[in-house]
Amino acid sequence: MTAALVFDRVSKSFAHHTGPRLLRERIAELFRSAPGHRLEVLKDVSFQLPRGDGLGLIGPNGAGKSTLLNMVCGLSQPDSGRIEVHGRVGALLELGSGFHPDLTGEENVRVNAAMIGLTRRQTKERFEDIIEFSGVRDFIREPLRTYSSGMQMRLAFSVAVHMNPDVLVIDEMIGVGDNDFQAKCLERMRRFQSEGKTILLASHSPKLMEMLCQHAMWLERGRVVTSGPVDQVLKAYQSGHGGTASAT
């Protein structure tokens, strides 16, 4: 089966600062030939995710999961290694990301659709479906700052899935919202996979991973501890963390 996503020995680090510095120190660092101390957030990460499958990322805070998701979305580039993403990516990385609080829900939908590459005609064709799915029609002409976190998540999720991505990247977001909307999201993502689309998920819920993901990968300090069938990886992670499973 053709891979939707390939990571080949991918590494990523960031400059590590121990405290405040003067402006002259920051400028001097730009001209240094030797790199300063850097914090490794991913080290030699390799995997292939087939089209139509789901991959769940688990590991403690600081394991490198969000950095990995950002690189899939093109928001960050690796220091070394190769990344291949085949198809359009839709992302839910942070509550309200890509939205402006002073714009109305309707305006945010149109701006966000343009940012992810939809034409005006495509946005017009999908607009009613986006609003209907989100369930915020009564507030669509109100500023986003008046929305609850659940309403913002509904709108963001609805835009993401109606852009018809080939790869849907989700970081925690699906845990926001009421039970009815969560059930609707799950049904939509199952249909999404049945259409041959791919899901990359980081979530607090092992149960959600088991429902949506065929595979899982356990990260610790930027390195892959183990990967494989989701039930096996979750069991290994629970055993290694005193019987608790968290995907933060």
Side-chain angles (χ1 to χ4, degrees):
M1 183 178 292
T2 305
L5 182 60
V6 177
F7 269 52
D8 182 16
R9 298 184 64 83
V10 170
S11 296
K12 179 67 176 179
S13 64
F14 296 102
H16 180 60
H17 306 304
T18 57
R21 294 176 301 155
L22 297 174
L23 177 61
R24 64 173 178 267
E25 294 174 322
R26 294 181 181 273
I27 294 174
E29 185 176 273
L30 296 175
F31 295 94
R32 289 174 186 160
S33 57
H37 180 61
R38 297 185 68 82
L39 179 66
E40 277 190 336
V41 290
L42 288 177
K43 181 64 174 178
D44 293 330
V45 174
S46 297
F47 66 91
Q48 292 192 19
L49 179 58
R51 288 179 178 170
D53 281 8
L55 174 66
L57 303 178
I58 60 173
N61 289 332
K65 301 182 301 299
S66 293
T67 299
L68 190 155
L69 298 183
N70 283 333
M71 288 196 288
V72 172
C73 298
L75 301 177
S76 179
Q77 298 301 315
D79 296 335
S80 62
R82 176 174 58 94
I83 299 175
E84 293 182 11
V85 181
H86 300 283
R88 184 199 296 264
V89 176
L92 288 164
L93 297 181
E94 185 179 353
L95 185 62
S97 61
F99 285 170
H100 193 290
D102 291 331
L103 297 180
T104 67
E106 179 178 357
E107 290 167 336
N108 271 294
V109 168
R110 298 190 188 282
V111 170
N112 199 254
M115 290 173 60
I116 60 181
L118 296 185
T119 66
R120 288 186 179 182
R121 180 175 179 178
Q122 289 173 323
T123 302
K124 183 177 180 180
E125 291 172 346
R126 303 177 193 184
F127 185 79
E128 282 300 316
D129 290 337
I130 291 172
I131 303 309
E132 183 63 28
F133 187 94
S134 71
V136 299
R137 183 181 297 277
D138 291 344
F139 304 91
I140 200 61
R141 291 186 172 85
E142 299 296 329
L144 197 74
R145 64 174 180 272
T146 65
Y147 287 28
S148 67
S149 60
M151 291 167 65
Q152 291 183 44
M153 189 280 293
R154 289 182 179 201
L155 196 60
F157 184 89
S158 190
V159 172
V161 296
H162 284 89
M163 69 174 281
N164 195 29
D166 300 294
V167 181
L168 182 61
V169 177
I170 305 175
D171 189 4
E172 311 293 354
M173 287 281 293
I174 196 64
V176 183
D178 57 51
N179 291 334
D180 288 343
F181 188 73
Q182 287 185 36
K184 187 161 63 169
C185 290
L186 288 173
E187 188 280 328
R188 182 65 185 87
M189 287 191 286
R190 289 194 187 99
R191 180 156 61 91
F192 185 79
Q193 283 189 306
S194 72
E195 296 168 352
K197 309 300 179 65
T198 305
I199 291 175
L200 182 60
L201 169 71
S203 171
H204 282 287
S205 171
K207 182 179 179 181
L208 183 62
M209 283 195 183
E210 290 176 330
M211 295 173 67
L212 293 176
C213 301
Q214 290 72 39
H215 315 285
M217 186 166 65
W218 172 8
L219 291 171
E220 290 270 358
R221 296 183 179 179
R223 297 175 184 268
V224 177
V225 178
T226 188
S227 61
V230 63
D231 57 337
Q232 295 180 17
V233 175
L234 287 174
K235 183 177 180 180
Y237 184 72
Q238 288 177 319
S239 299
H241 286 259
T244 61
S246 173
T248 59

